[in-house]
Amino acid sequence: NAGVTQTPKFRVLKTGQSMTLLCAQDMNHEYMYWYRQDPGMGLRLIHYSVGEGTTAKGEVPDGYNVSRLKKQNFLLGLESAAPSQTSVYFCASSYSVRDRVKNIQYFGAGTRLSVL
Amino acid sequence: GEDVEQSLFLSVREGDSSVINCTYTDSSSTYLYWYKQEPGAGLQLLTYIFSNMDMKQDQRLTVLLNKKDKHLSLRIADTQTGDSAIYFCAEANRDDKIIFGKGTRLHILP
């Protein structure tokens, strides 16, 4: 049982390049989330999904797109990277109907992205 | 709007108790959580408390909830160097939305 797996762990991009971050969970969770973490800013929600085929905007969605084609995967795309997107990105998942306590989020180890 | 506030830093001597405080604004919170983030890792759930409880104890951890004042605290007894981390308070409201605080960095002094 791997939990939440994020790939890649590190990436350096040049301004204007594109990339996709992959998140995979094996807990049969319904909900998945993408956050970014910056010093002094805590966690900020970028996009989230409450089920396969659905996505919604979070607090800071601009410059990012997401897709949830399969229940276990949640992809975060940067179409044209900017230095302001230098951050640590975390994926999380939560909620299965078997959960006794709802809304506990399980996090991946993070992706450190630098945009030069 | 909904908000969760916590102080950014706390320094504690090894062996002392650490108390990390959190305040929240949403009175419809159902669950409140404490997450721990160790360096270079993601957040991990440390403990949680249901909103109709006022205290929960789990080994060295004690969670106190004052629903009237919307105040949550996490006490770590006999603080060890391995407790050095960032601690996030979070609440879940009736719409299943989770709000995280900005995190408190706990620094352990020798």
Side-chain angles (χ1 to χ4, degrees), chain B:
Chain B
E2 300 152 330
D3 199 13
V4 175
E5 298 274 349
Q6 48 183 136
S7 54
L8 293 181
F9 299 100
L10 178 66
S11 289
V12 173
R13 293 211 174 274
E14 191 176 356
D16 287 351
S17 291
S18 306
V19 179
I20 303 171
N21 295 302
C22 169
T23 57
Y24 59 97
T25 56
D26 187 355
S27 58
S28 72
S29 295
T30 53
Y31 286 95
L32 295 119
Y33 313 86
W34 284 104
Y35 284 81
K36 179 182 181 183
Q37 183 183 28
E38 297 185 349
L43 280 69
Q44 247 188 325
L45 182 73
L46 200 56
T47 187
Y48 66 89
I49 188 167
F50 189 47
S51 58
N52 69 353
M53 298 169 64
D54 51 21
M55 183 177 115
K56 180 178 180 182
Q57 189 147 8
D58 183 3
Q59 299 182 329
R60 291 191 298 121
L61 304 179
T62 303
V63 178
L64 294 178
L65 174 61
N66 181 328
K67 208 172 174 187
K68 173 176 165 289
D69 294 338
K70 299 191 189 73
H71 183 267
L72 182 74
S73 68
L74 173 70
R75 178 176 179 269
I76 306 172
D78 187 24
T79 308
Q80 304 298 309
T81 54
D83 296 323
S84 181
I86 303 175
Y87 291 82
F88 289 87
C89 172
E91 62 163 347
N93 65 17
R94 291 189 193 281
D95 298 324
D96 288 343
K97 187 178 174 186
I98 310 295
I99 310 293
F100 284 91
K102 287 186 168 47
T104 299
R105 186 179 294 272
L106 178 62
H107 177 62
I108 313 301
L109 302 166

Side-chain angles (χ1 to χ4, degrees), chain A residues 21-42:
Chain A
L21 282 67
L22 172 64
C23 177
Q25 54 95 2
D26 62 3
M27 295 172 282
N28 201 34
H29 281 161
E30 302 295 326
Y31 300 170
M32 295 187 75
Y33 314 81
W34 275 107
Y35 293 92
R36 59 178 290 174
Q37 185 178 28
D38 302 290
M41 302 293 287

Side-chain angles (χ1 to χ4, degrees), chain A residues 11-13 19 78 85-89 111-115:
Chain A
R11 186 73 188 267
V12 178
L13 288 179
M19 79 162 293
L78 285 73
Q85 293 177 305
T86 293
S87 187
V88 182
Y89 291 86
T111 296
R112 291 184 181 277
L113 176 66
S114 291
V115 182

Side-chain angles (χ1 to χ4, degrees), chain A residues 65-81:
Chain A
N65 56 73
V66 287
S67 64
R68 184 109 182 259
L69 298 179
K70 291 183 179 181
K71 186 177 183 179
Q72 62 268 35
N73 295 337
F74 195 29
L75 278 62
L76 177 71
L78 285 73
E79 288 184 350
S80 179

